[in-house]
Amino acid sequence: MITMENIIREGHPTLREVAKEVSLPLSEEDVQLGKDMLEFLINSQDPVKAEELQLRGGVGLAAPQLDISKRIIAVHVPSDDPEKPEPQLSAVMYNPKIASHSVQDACLGEGEGCLSVDREVPGYVVRHARVTVTYTDATGQQQKIRLKNYQAIVVQHEIDHLNGVMFYDHIDAENPYALKDGVLVLE
């Protein structure tokens, strides 16, 4: 089971490497890693388990954050509708790629955080408002998914980890809250 102790923190060299493609067909080890990553996210969002296991809440995790330089991400975006408890997005993606994206940009009003960063980093992280992502799922099938707003931001954050990019690399150092016209601020 993955815990916070397994997650490497900023400054670790693996977080700045470009991760290697995962070989297909997927190995049992890579499939299990994906399951464990998703389980961590689900546990981190459960108030009882999170406290018991001392987990910080997360919606995404990339293999490089576990010091494993492979192109694997897990995302688990909970529902914001109490009537529909199933998650908005819950997936393990092997070799994910952004196939296309919107011209429109977006950012989170409260900024972004990261399980590998133990400090607040103020500022807007501007990303594409909509993306189409292709990836291989745990059964080896090719998938294509269109995401927008929060879900799109979460997946872009995780794909950045596969390319050695941290969220704060996107923040304007001179003016962290500067935005170009037309950027959608998601609250």
Side-chain angles (χ1 to χ4, degrees):
M1 177 185 290
I2 296 170
T3 67
M4 288 305 295
E5 278 139 40
N6 302 108
I7 296 174
I8 60 176
R9 302 308 202 275
E10 64 179 322
H12 193 293
T14 302
L15 291 173
R16 290 300 188 173
E17 292 173 7
V18 174
K20 293 166 189 63
E21 291 265 321
V22 180
S23 303
L24 301 174
L26 295 169
S27 68
E28 285 180 33
E29 179 186 310
D30 288 338
V31 171
Q32 187 59 51
L33 175 60
K35 286 180 185 169
D36 292 346
M37 289 166 63
L38 193 58
E39 178 190 44
F40 170 89
L41 296 173
I42 292 167
N43 287 342
S44 82
Q45 294 173 25
D46 177 317
V48 175
K49 283 188 178 161
E51 186 173 338
E52 176 190 317
L53 300 168
Q54 297 185 329
L55 306 178
R56 274 179 43 205
V59 290
L61 185 63
Q65 292 178 274
L66 302 169
D67 201 13
I68 299 168
S69 190
K70 291 184 176 182
R71 299 185 80 78
I72 304 171
I73 65 171
V75 291
H76 189 77
V77 179
S79 171
D80 52 11
D81 180 352
E83 302 293 309
K84 296 181 186 156
E86 66 276 352
Q88 294 177 30
L89 174 64
S90 187
V92 177
M93 301 180 186
Y94 298 87
N95 300 328
K97 288 185 179 71
I98 295 173
S100 63
H101 61 79
S102 60
V103 173
Q104 165 104 56
D105 285 333
C107 66
L108 300 179
E110 59 196 37
E112 290 185 22
C114 179
L115 292 167
S116 292
V117 178
D118 292 329
R119 60 190 174 100
E120 293 278 320
V121 183
Y124 289 134
V125 180
V126 179
R127 301 185 181 277
H128 306 299
R130 292 178 302 287
V131 291
T132 300
V133 177
T134 59
Y135 66 95
T136 302
D137 68 17
T139 68
Q141 299 298 305
Q142 280 297 310
Q143 300 292 336
K144 185 177 183 176
I145 185 170
R146 287 184 176 83
L147 303 168
K148 65 181 187 178
N149 300 339
Y150 185 63
Q151 295 173 38
I153 285 172
V154 169
V155 170
Q156 288 172 85
H157 176 114
E158 298 312 321
I159 289 175
D160 268 358
H161 276 302
L162 305 181
N163 296 318
V165 176
M166 300 294 284
F167 75 91
Y168 48 72
D169 297 343
H170 295 283
I171 297 173
D172 180 335
E174 300 293 308
N175 189 347
Y177 291 101
L179 285 179
K180 293 180 183 144
D181 286 347
V183 175
L184 188 62
V185 179
L186 304 171
E187 296 303 336

